[in-house]
């Protein structure tokens, strides 16, 4: 397999993943971004913990979808994440999912 073949394969996987994301985003309430992963979820619980001078975050997601090209099962019932890095949680505005009026 050449380098170009590998790049084409990875680009195809990314395109397939984007299409799946576009198809399922309307099923979820939250977008969650961590250092390592991007999730869609319907339930999010974030707790900050102190360990001496360090702070870490415990993130619990339920009914989630994981953006991961190499994962065969992207829908998961329960996800636990522990991280010392930033966590971004956004509620998906259902109006954001509607196509612009000129495209309907």
């Amino acid at each position: 397999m050449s380098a170009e073949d590998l790049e084409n394969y990875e680009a195809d996987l990314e395109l397939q993943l984007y299409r799946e994301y576009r198809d399922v985003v309307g099923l979820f309430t939250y977008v969650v971004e961590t250092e390592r992963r991007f999730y869609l979820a319907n339930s999010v619980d974030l707790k900050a913990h102190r360990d001496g001078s360090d702070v870490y975050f415990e993130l619990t997601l339920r009914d989630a979808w994981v953006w991961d090209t190499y994962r065969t099962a992207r829908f998961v019932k329960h996800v636990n994440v522990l991280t010392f890095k930033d966590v971004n949680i956004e509620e998906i505005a259902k109006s954001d999912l509607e196509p612009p009026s000129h495209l309907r």
Side-chain angles (χ1 to χ4, degrees):
M1 180 178 270
S2 71
E4 184 178 337
D5 289 340
L6 184 57
E7 285 179 25
N8 290 338
Y9 175 75
E10 289 179 349
D12 187 50
L13 286 178
E14 283 288 326
L15 182 58
Q16 289 175 25
L17 186 60
Y18 170 75
R19 287 179 176 152
E20 183 177 326
Y21 164 82
R22 186 187 60 202
D23 292 343
V24 302
V25 68
L27 303 173
F28 296 94
T29 306
Y30 300 98
V31 173
V32 180
E33 188 176 5
T34 68
E35 173 192 12
R36 296 190 62 209
R37 295 275 190 274
F38 177 88
Y39 303 91
L40 299 172
N42 283 321
S43 173
V44 178
D45 182 36
L46 178 67
K47 294 181 179 144
H49 298 280
R50 292 201 178 275
D51 185 15
S53 62
D54 294 326
V55 175
Y56 68 95
F57 301 98
E58 178 181 5
L59 179 64
T60 303
L61 308 175
R62 296 197 189 282
D63 186 21
W65 180 88
V66 184
W67 180 288
D68 187 335
T69 306
Y70 300 103
R71 210 181 151 96
T72 56
R74 286 186 269 278
F75 288 95
V76 290
K77 289 183 143 204
H78 184 259
V79 177
N80 266 346
V81 177
L82 296 176
T83 183
F84 285 92
K85 303 290 184 177
D86 292 341
V87 175
N88 183 42
I89 302 168
E90 297 178 28
E91 188 169 356
I92 299 171
K94 295 304 177 184
S95 63
D96 289 347
L97 300 176
E98 294 295 321
S101 58
H102 69 281
L103 296 177
R104 286 187 224 160

